[in-house]
Amino acid sequence: MANSTYGLWERLSRVPGGRRLFSAAMCLRVPYFGTVLPHVREIRPGRCEVSAPKWWGVHNHIGTFHAIAACNLAEIAMGMLAEATVPPTHRWLPKGMTVEYVAKAGSGLRAVAELPEIPEFTDEGFALSVPVTIRDKRGEAVVTGVITIWVTRRRG
């Protein structure tokens, strides 16, 4: 059984314009995500890919994609991965983020959050580290990071 976010993705991603509609709905639920104009391209258990255009709203003082806007994109990819991966019997909360800005981002970006393997979800809470890589239009990594989430069984 999928959670409601992943279930909505499963339904909408199959119809024309559905991925854009899903992306807009996601931004209505989490308004700050809208600041990077995200386009969710793929969600499945253990993986999410989301892109964002380079536009003046994400520019820094030198005209490149702002580092914190890139972090926002990373959090979107991680969050959608978590929604597809964590079963509805459990919940997740962000716990921490470490990032490295490895190159200037002079174009739109594509973030991929991907787990090396899907963990077992038990009664015990645990920290799950989600690697995220953000690449520019040439495919070069501009930001790498790990976002840690805390996963616990839902009460009741």
Side-chain angles (χ1 to χ4, degrees), residues 2-30:
N3 73 38
S4 60
T5 302
Y6 186 53
L8 181 63
W9 168 260
E10 287 280 284
R11 289 189 304 280
L12 289 178
S13 66
R14 296 182 179 129
V15 299
R19 292 174 185 207
R20 290 272 185 203
L21 183 59
F22 177 87
S23 299
M26 176 190 67
C27 291
L28 285 174
R29 183 147 190 242
V30 187

Side-chain angles (χ1 to χ4, degrees), residues 50-131:
V50 60
S51 63
K54 183 175 174 276
W55 68 289
W56 68 267
V58 296
H59 284 181
N60 58 21
H61 65 289
I62 60 173
T64 61
F65 210 105
H66 193 283
I68 298 305
C71 288
N72 190 15
L73 186 62
E75 190 171 1
I76 295 167
M78 173 283 301
M80 294 300 102
L81 172 146
E83 288 292 300
T85 306
V86 175
T89 55
H90 288 69
R91 67 184 188 136
W92 62 272
L93 294 167
K95 188 175 177 178
M97 174 189 261
T98 59
V99 293
E100 291 188 34
Y101 308 117
V102 295
K104 289 182 192 173
S107 69
L109 300 178
R110 188 170 296 231
V112 174
E114 192 163 24
L115 293 173
E117 65 181 53
I118 296 175
E120 182 179 337
F121 296 92
T122 65
D123 289 339
E124 298 297 317
F126 66 99
L128 177 61
S129 296
V130 180

